[in-house]
Amino acid sequence: MDDQLDELMVCRLNQTRKTVEPCSIVIFGASGDLTARKLIPALYHLHKEKQLPSSYRVIGFARREKSDADWRTELRAALNQFSRTKPVDEQVWTEFAANVFYCQGEFSDSAAYGKLEQMLTSFGQPALRDNLLFYLATSPSQFGECVQQLHEARLLRKGEEGPGWQRLVVEKPFGHDLASARQLNAELTRYASERQVFRIDHYLGKETVQNILMFRFSNSIFERLWNRDSVDHVQITVSESLGVGQRGGYYEEAGALRDMVQNHLLQVMSLVAIEPPVSLDAEPIRDEKVKLLKSIRPLTPADVAKNVVRGQYFAGTVDGELRPGYRQEPKVKSDSNTETFVALKLFVDNWRWSGVPFYLRTGKYLPLSASEVRIQFRPTPNVLFAAQCGTKLDPNALTLRLQPEEGISLRFNGKVPGTSTSVRPVRMSFSYNSEFGAYTPEAYERLLLEAVAGDATLFIRSDEVEAAWSIADSIRQGWNGQALTNREFYSAGTWGPVASEDLLAQRGHVWRNPQANK
Ligand code: BG6
C-alpha cells in the first residue's frame, strides 16, 4: 500500500525537456577503446529503450581502412563483451546497426571531411545533415585540428548560425594543467561557442552523483544540518581495487591527481558543498560549482607538504592474488615517481563551511572498489553518555554510497536491548537496489542523451575546468618534481601509505573505510 502511494507521489521533472531532434552523431577516434567499451553499448541501450530521436545516424570517423560492415562486425563483438544487458537482443541490434556507418580518414585531411559531408547529405534528411553531435574521443592534441577542419567543411558553425545545431563533446583529460586547459578552451571556442562545448566527466552521469543535489535540496531535514555548525568534517573516498593495468603509458603522464582528483573528486565535492542554485537549469548549477571551487583555500607549497599525501603501490595482495608494483607495470619507468594514490585536506573559505576539513582520497590497488561521501557530524557535548563513553560514543554520520551497492545510510547511537545500559552505533539504510530494483544505466547513456538534447547541466563549463586545474596545479607545484620517499609507498591491497592516516590524525580524525556488502 505504501509502495503504491510512493509511486503516486513521483514528481517527474524533465517533462518540459526539449524532445530530442533527429541528428547524426559522429565519433572521432572510432577505433578506440572508449567507443567499444562505453559509447556503442550506451547508444545501443538508448536505442533499445527508445530514447534516441525518431531518426538518427552514428558515424565512426577514424584512420583505419574498413567498410561499414567491418565496423558493425567489430562493434557487435564489443557489445557482446561490454553490454550491461546480455545476451544482446538480435532484433534491437539489427535495427541499431542499420543506423551505423563508417567514414575513413585522417583528422588532418580536408578531403576526409568532404567525404563526411557527402555521407551526411546522402542520408537524405536535412536534420541528419545539420543537427550534428561531434564526439571527440581522440587525443586532446587533435581537438584543434578536428574543430578547424569541421569548420572549414561547413559542418560546424560557431553560435549555430544557420540551420540546425552542432555540438562538440570532449573527453577527459581536458588538458594536463591550467595553461593547457586554457589553450584547449581557446582552440575549441575558436570555431564553436561555449554553449556548443560539452566537456565530459563521467561521474556526473552516475545516478548517485546526480542524487546528491536531489538529496540535499528536496529534503529539509538534512540541508539544515549541512554546514559548519553541525558538520565536523567530510570524507570523500573513491577507491579502486584495480591497478593501472595496460594504461601505464597514459598513467605515467597523468597520475592520480590529474586522473581522478582534478575531475571526479572535485566534482563530487562541489556537489556536496555548493549553495542552493537559483534554479535547476544548467547555468545556475554550474555558477554555484565554480563559486565553490573558487572558495577552496589555495594551497601554498607549505600547505601541500602538510595537507597532501601522495603514494605509489608496491607489490601486494589484492582479492587474494599477488599484484605487481606500479614500477613493474607495462610502460611504466622502473624509477617512476608517478602517484597512484592521493589523500588531501581542503578547506572551503565561505560562510557555510569555514573551518570544516574536507578530506579527499583516491587510489589504485586499494582493498576494494567503492566510492563514498561521509558527512561526519559533530559529537554531542561531553556530558551524559559522552561523559561516560568518551570516544566510544560514535558521532552521527551520513554516508552517501555512490558505487557499488548504491545507497544512503545514517549512523546514530541506540540502546543495546537488555538489562544493562549499553549504547552502540546502529544504522538506518536506504538501498537503491532494494527500493528501485537493479536498474543502473551506465553514466554514458545519460550523458549522450543529455548532449543530444542540448542540456549542459551534467557537463563541465570552461571556467569550472580551469578552477579545478588551479587547485591541481598548486599541488603539483608543491610536489615540485621531488622523488617519492619511503613513507609514500604502500602495499597493493592496503588503504594507502601511513601518511594518509597521519593526515587525519592531525585533528584527531580517522578514515572510515568503505565496507564490502554494506
Ligand atoms: C577514469 C579514470 O576517469 O575513471 C580511471 O581515468 C578510473 O583511471 C575511472 O579507473 C574510474 O571510473 P569508475 O566509473 O569505474 O569509478
Side-chain angles (χ1 to χ4, degrees):
M1 185 61 194
D2 265 4
D3 286 357
Q4 283 169 7
L5 281 178
D6 290 348
E7 275 304 311
L8 286 175
M9 299 285 297
V10 171
C11 163
R12 293 181 210 286
L13 275 84
N14 49 6
Q15 275 167 338
T16 53
R17 187 159 100 171
K18 280 199 281 181
T19 47
V20 285
E21 295 167 339
C23 65
S24 293
I25 302 168
V26 184
I27 305 174
F28 287 88
S31 310
D33 216 34
L34 183 80
T35 308
R37 277 175 188 271
K38 299 287 183 192
L39 303 183
I40 292 299
L43 289 166
Y44 159 83
H45 281 103
L46 288 172
H47 178 97
K48 188 170 180 199
E49 280 144 25
K50 306 198 182 343
Q51 305 257 26
L52 287 176
S54 52
S55 175
Y56 73 91
R57 300 288 186 274
V58 177
I59 299 109
F61 187 107
R63 213 169 334 139
R64 283 181 222 154
E65 194 69 60
K66 62 183 105 158
S67 65
D68 295 337
D70 294 339
W71 198 45
R72 290 176 190 149
T73 309
E74 270 174 36
L75 296 181
R76 176 56 206 257
L79 199 56
N80 286 344
Q81 198 180 347
F82 301 117
S83 171
R84 71 173 164 82
T85 56
K86 287 182 184 150
V88 172
D89 183 319
E90 277 310 324
Q91 196 189 331
V92 174
W93 164 255
T94 310
E95 279 168 27
F96 172 71
N99 292 308
V100 171
F101 297 84
Y102 186 78
C103 181
Q104 187 274 331
E106 295 284 340
F107 296 146
S108 56
D109 175 14
S110 57
Y113 293 79
K115 219 160 62 178
L116 175 63
E117 202 274 335
Q118 279 168 16
M119 182 182 271
L120 294 167
T121 308
S122 75
F123 297 143
Q125 288 179 42
L128 298 180
R129 158 64 182 81
D130 297 324
N131 291 344
L132 302 170
L133 188 77
F134 298 110
Y135 201 113
L136 304 182
T138 62
S139 139
S141 60
Q142 292 163 318
F143 290 174
E145 174 86 65
C146 288
V147 168
Q148 181 171 353
Q149 293 282 359
L150 286 170
H151 162 80
E152 283 167 10
R154 302 166 63 84
L155 289 167
L156 172 66
R157 286 184 309 275
K158 187 166 183 167
E160 299 168 321
E161 279 155 16
W165 49 257
Q166 298 89 46
R167 296 174 194 139
L168 299 167
V169 181
V170 292
E171 265 299 327
K172 77 172 259 269
F174 195 83
H176 56 269
D177 57 12
L178 177 59
S180 55
R182 281 194 173 139
Q183 162 88 21
L184 281 180
N185 280 334
E187 284 174 11
L188 291 171
T189 51
R190 212 159 132 215
Y191 299 111
S193 56
E194 173 61 27
R195 69 184 169 82
Q196 291 172 278
V197 182
F198 290 65
R199 295 174 196 77
I200 290 233
D201 181 315
H202 79 280
Y203 266 56
L204 295 185
K206 292 181 190 266
E207 284 287 336
T208 42
V209 174
Q210 289 164 36
N211 192 42
I212 297 174
L213 287 193
M214 203 165 274
F215 178 79
R216 287 190 55 198
F217 300 128
S218 69
N219 296 297
S220 60
I221 53 174
F222 298 109
E223 189 53 24
R224 266 159 220 229
L225 304 176
W226 219 259
N227 56 51
R228 64 191 302 276
D229 295 333
S230 307
V231 176
D232 186 64
H233 69 276
V234 177
Q235 299 186 8
I236 301 176
T237 299
V238 176
S239 67
E240 296 186 273
S241 61
L242 295 176
V244 295
Q246 298 307 312
R247 298 170 73 219
Y250 155 76
Y251 205 83
E252 276 285 87
E253 298 299 315
L257 181 68
R258 290 180 170 128
D259 187 47
M260 299 293 287
V261 177
Q262 185 273 342
N263 35 73
H264 309 325
L265 274 94
L266 286 177
Q267 282 298 320
V268 170
M269 173 176 168
S270 59
L271 293 173
V272 168
I274 58 170
E275 293 303 313
V278 292
S279 82
L280 292 175
D281 294 337
E283 296 319 325
I285 294 180
R286 301 198 297 179
D287 289 345
E288 290 305 330
K289 281 163 67 191
V290 172
K291 248 162 73 185
L292 189 279
L293 289 169
K294 288 190 171 166
S295 326
I296 292 178
R297 188 181 303 163
L299 295 158
T300 63
D303 296 329
V304 173
K306 202 165 133 232
N307 294 339
V308 185
V309 173
R310 57 185 177 153
Q312 188 190 86
Y313 60 83
F314 58 84
T317 307
V318 189
D319 290 335
E321 296 216 14
L322 184 65
R323 305 293 180 187
Y326 176 70
R327 290 177 175 182
Q328 285 84 55
E329 299 278 17
K331 300 198 196 126
V332 170
K333 288 205 278 310
S334 58
D335 58 352
S336 170
N337 284 305
T338 300
E339 75 289 352
T340 60
F341 176 96
V342 180
L344 66 160
K345 177 166 67 180
L346 295 174
F347 288 97
V348 179
D349 284 338
N350 67 11
W351 194 269
R352 183 189 288 261
W353 294 116
S354 179
V356 177
F358 281 74
Y359 298 110
L360 277 53
R361 71 175 160 168
T362 185
K364 300 277 185 202
Y365 272 154
L366 301 188
L368 81 157
S369 290
S371 303
E372 267 185 21
V373 176
R374 184 180 173 102
I375 313 291
Q376 181 84 37
F377 294 99
R378 286 184 185 278
T380 64
N382 198 21
V383 293
L384 306 178
F385 295 105
Q388 294 192 39
C389 301
T391 53
K392 279 198 144 179
L393 191 70
D394 209 34
N396 300 141
L398 183 83
T399 303
L400 310 181
R401 174 86 160 202
L402 306 180
Q403 60 185 23
E405 286 123 30
E406 293 83 354
I408 298 178
S409 71
L410 179 67
R411 207 171 143 94
F412 53 96
N413 294 303
K415 182 179 180 309
V416 180
T419 46
S420 71
T421 306
S422 306
V423 54
R424 79 155 168 81
V426 294
R427 199 183 281 131
M428 229 157 61
S429 297
F430 147 67
S431 141
Y432 270 80
N433 274 359
S434 15
E435 187 77 25
F436 297 115
Y439 171 72
T440 34
E442 272 271 328
Y444 277 92
E445 292 172 35
R446 178 75 194 257
L447 294 173
L448 278 164
L449 191 60
E450 297 293 312
V452 168
D455 187 333
T457 313
L458 302 181
F459 298 85
I460 317 288
R461 212 166 58 187
S462 59
D463 48 355
E464 216 177 326
V465 98
E466 291 180 9
W469 273 122
S470 300
I471 298 167
D473 281 5
S474 62
I475 296 175
R476 198 153 284 283
Q477 277 151 20
W479 289 342
N480 196 20
Q482 282 163 20
L484 292 162
T485 61
N486 283 346
R487 270 173 64 75
E488 292 171 316
F489 287 91
Y490 62 101
S491 166
T494 64
W495 284 103
V498 183
S500 159
E501 304 299 329
D502 299 345
L503 174 70
L504 271 70
Q506 291 168 11
R507 289 188 157 225
H509 297 145
V510 280
W511 285 113
R512 300 301 181 110
N513 297 327
Q515 308 288 313
N517 304 318
K518 295 187 74 182

